Amino acid sequence: MELDAQALDGVVKRLRRAQGQIGGVIRMIEEGRECADILTQLAAASRALDRAGFKLVATGLRECMTRPDATDAAAFEEDLERLFLSLA
């Protein structure tokens, strides 16, 4: 499935945020910060990654609805379901 690059801007922003948070987690570990603070940042990075994945699935669904005849609908639906469940 090819997605519109413009539609993926939100995904890239979320991934950049997660990248910054992961860098922050690494610095916190290297500085010997408190475990609770590190875990809070790690949880935030994990949520950012999850949201990026869900945004990708949502973008794929929108693409499917705007171009329903572009691909085999059943195969496309199976692919999206598999990808969505991989995020769980």
Side-chain angles (χ1 to χ4, degrees), residues 3 9-10 13 17 20-22 26 36 42-43 46-47 50 58 65-66 68 71-75 77 83-85 88:
L3 300 175
D9 283 345
K13 287 177 185 176
R17 184 177 306 128
Q21 289 168 326
I22 291 168
I26 292 168
L42 194 58
S46 179
R47 282 190 305 275
D50 288 344
M65 289 188 295
T66 59
T71 60
D72 177 23
E77 182 180 329
L83 291 171
F84 183 77
L85 291 174

Side-chain angles (χ1 to χ4, degrees), residues 3-51:
L3 300 175
D4 177 33
Q6 193 174 31
L8 297 177
D9 283 345
V11 174
V12 171
K13 287 177 185 176
R14 283 176 168 81
L15 290 174
R16 289 192 198 288
R17 184 177 306 128
Q19 183 180 31
Q21 289 168 326
I22 291 168
V25 169
I26 292 168
R27 281 188 301 280
M28 291 171 79
I29 291 170
E30 291 172 345
E31 294 169 359
R33 299 274 300 269
E34 292 292 322
C35 182
D37 295 337
I38 295 169
L39 290 174
T40 298
Q41 282 300 315
L42 194 58
S46 179
R47 282 190 305 275
L49 288 172
D50 288 344
R51 288 181 180 147

